[in-house]
Amino acid sequence: GLPSGTLWANMNVGASSEEEGGLFLSWGETEAKTDYSWATYKWCDGTQSIMTKYVVDEQYGQVDGKTVLDPEDDAAATGENIGSPTIEEFNELLDKNNCTWTLETINDRKGARITGPNGNSIFLPACGFMTGTRLSTNNTAGCFWTNTLTTTQARYYYNAHVVRVGISRTGISIDARDHNGAGFVPRNYGYNIRPVKHSTGSSGIDNIADDNTTPVKYYSITGVETATPSKGLNIAICSDGSIRKIIVK
């Protein structure tokens, strides 16, 4: 399998076969709709100017510090450790040292066949995406959400991370130079979701200095105190008063 141990579902959320697109969903929403505009987006005031959840900068609303979908807002969160993929999980799939990507057509639906190191494979169909009431790039691009808000540049805080798989008559592109691969788009767009079962593997803690300080308190990235660090990014207050980031894999 993949180095991380992540398991990928064999079809999209809402699909009944691997070549079906399933549901088009706005980021953080769990039901499909006919209009994918800001006016219908659940987590804003009707425009891209003010967000009402998943806010990391006060210019976009009341800050809650949330950057990863809560399970109740994730249409792929159907069981323990199951949900929309993280950026890292999709990047592992995009890494051609891990997987082989080949163009394939199933029942007239073009897409990418991705084969892992153990020979198992999944098919990502090119079903395009929705903006407003319009379907774009149908059969020429597969468009998939991650579970992660864009936080790299303030002017894009109303965006979330995605992966776009470009399809042509002769091949597949996951190259950023072609506007494919990993990127980000406005949250109101309608994209597909391919669920994963996140690896629970052995936990590892990174970014802790090699000294005699000991964490005495842990906090989530939203500022909630926790008894122990949870999976992902945590903040630790150490015995010497220093503040450290802890990542639990």
Side-chain angles (χ1 to χ4, degrees):
L2 293 169
S4 70
T6 301
L7 299 176
W8 287 78
N10 65 352
M11 61 186 75
N12 292 344
V13 169
S16 56
S17 63
E18 64 179 350
E19 75 273 18
E20 288 184 7
L23 301 179
F24 290 106
L25 295 161
S26 294
W27 191 79
E29 296 187 1
T30 57
E31 295 182 0
K33 50 193 179 183
T34 56
D35 180 8
Y36 295 81
S37 64
W38 286 114
T40 66
Y41 182 57
K42 183 177 182 178
W43 303 117
C44 76
D45 69 348
T47 73
Q48 69 183 50
S49 300
I50 299 296
M51 302 293 120
T52 56
K53 191 174 183 180
Y54 305 103
V55 184
V56 294
D57 190 305
E58 62 184 5
Q59 69 172 313
Y60 286 104
Q62 185 172 344
V63 173
D64 57 22
K66 292 178 179 287
T67 60
V68 174
L69 288 175
D70 287 332
E72 61 266 28
D73 302 326
D74 186 351
T78 58
E80 185 177 1
N81 297 318
I82 297 173
S84 296
T86 66
I87 299 171
E88 293 77 17
E89 286 166 340
F90 243 128
N91 282 342
E92 183 180 48
L93 207 64
L94 292 169
D95 186 343
K96 292 184 177 179
N97 291 317
N98 295 324
C99 300
T100 301
W101 290 64
T102 54
L103 179 65
E104 187 170 322
T105 301
I106 302 176
N107 295 327
D108 296 324
R109 173 62 62 188
K110 294 178 182 177
R113 174 67 62 186
I114 306 163
T115 305
N118 62 357
N120 290 341
S121 69
I122 59 171
F123 180 74
L124 295 182
C127 297
F129 67 97
M130 294 290 298
T131 51
T133 59
R134 178 169 165 260
L135 175 63
S136 300
T137 64
N138 184 29
N139 232 19
T140 60
C143 302
F144 301 90
W145 287 119
T146 73
N147 69 353
T148 310
L149 184 72
T150 301
T151 58
T152 52
Q153 300 179 57
R155 67 183 184 209
Y156 295 125
Y157 284 168
Y158 58 88
N159 287 240
H161 286 280
V162 297
V163 165
R164 186 180 188 276
V165 181
I167 304 292
S168 70
R169 289 180 300 171
T170 57
I172 298 165
S173 173
I174 50 175
D175 192 327
R177 292 172 297 182
D178 300 327
H179 303 288
N180 294 316
F184 49 84
V185 300
R187 296 192 235 171
N188 61 298
Y189 282 20
Y191 268 47
N192 295 139
I193 300 176
R194 178 57 62 93
V196 298
K197 184 168 186 180
H198 308 291
S199 173
T200 56
S202 54
S203 294
I205 298 179
D206 299 330
N207 295 344
I208 289 293
D210 184 17
D211 55 28
N212 294 321
T213 61
T214 302
V216 293
K217 287 186 178 181
Y218 299 102
Y219 294 88
S220 69
I221 58 173
T222 59
V224 177
E225 186 172 356
T226 58
T228 58
S230 57
K231 186 177 180 180
L233 178 62
N234 301 261
I235 305 299
I237 307 298
C238 296
S239 55
D240 66 351
S242 62
I243 299 174
R244 304 287 172 86
K245 292 181 180 179
I246 293 179
I247 299 174
V248 178
K249 296 179 179 177

